[in-house]
Amino acid sequence: MLGGATTWHLERITPDLAQWSSVRNVLYAGRSQYQEVEVLETASFGRCLVLDGKTQSSEADEFVYHESLVHPALVVHPRPQSVCIAGGGEGATAREVLRHDTVSRAVMVDLDREVVDLCREFLPDHHQGAFDDPRLDLRIGDAGAFFRESSERFDVIVLDLPDPTEGGPVGLLYTGDFYTLLRSRLSSDGVLVTQAGPASLLNHHEVFTAIHNTLSQVFPVVASYSVPIQSFGEQWGFTVASLGPDPAALSPDDVDGRLSERGVEGLRAYDGVSHGALFALPRYLRKAIAEETRTITPENPLFIF
Ligand code: SPD
């Protein structure tokens, strides 16, 4: 039997597979206007933000997730000055964006003020003061409405959204219509990156391959990549779409040179070597992406389990 803990968090991966994590303390549990919110202190991963039952990030391995989400897109842009983040309530995506000294303006649009406030209070190791950086412009609101109503163009757009779940708040932000709008909000050489759901053997077909295919209908250059996130219990996917160079073509020296030129220091997961490893998808995933025909639309949305 498992050890003496009495409270467990169950991370569901597929209908038939889950990861159990023992909970030392429930720091917060409640319902915001949009979703169920928990901040759990777990024995294995430290503090975790859990939305609608799904771990969004943990103190132990959020650096893997956030560095992998942010830096490939920023590094491939020749000189990212303005960045927009959709979601990212923990503040850790903003933290990584603001490491690049080329960035003079970062707008972060998150739907849920209660989640942002809880993260500021309970997850200081995630944001590390990013909310107080004068370059950060935090907006509370719907990212879809923000991009429809503002004509501002950004060098990089980072979608750090909760997963698309049936009945959840973000399904429309994973559709071709939304990606078309975002393309019009990018500057020349602009780059978009999105977290793209599970990329494991058993569930890459849920949304990962379809997000790649949907972005391919809108952008000239699209590349997907993945990294293991142990607090999620599996391999996680990301997709980057570019109006300029292909991130998958950057050499380790290109990556390390750009990080160094921009004063990016203190990374624990990402560098030139790991950039190549991120994009080195296994053969079955490359095949699944090449054979994918589904496009995500408001009429035909896709959801993760
Ligand atoms: N910051 C948003 C990341 C969403 C990741 N969801 C992971 C779910 C793991 N089961």
Side-chain angles (χ1 to χ4, degrees), residues 11-12 54-56 65 90 160-163 195 232 236:
E11 190 75 25
R12 303 189 73 171
K54 295 192 173 296
T55 299
Q56 303 302 301
Y65 173 88
E90 302 100 318
D160 183 18
L161 301 164
D163 305 315
Q195 78 96 355
F232 297 173
W236 208 254

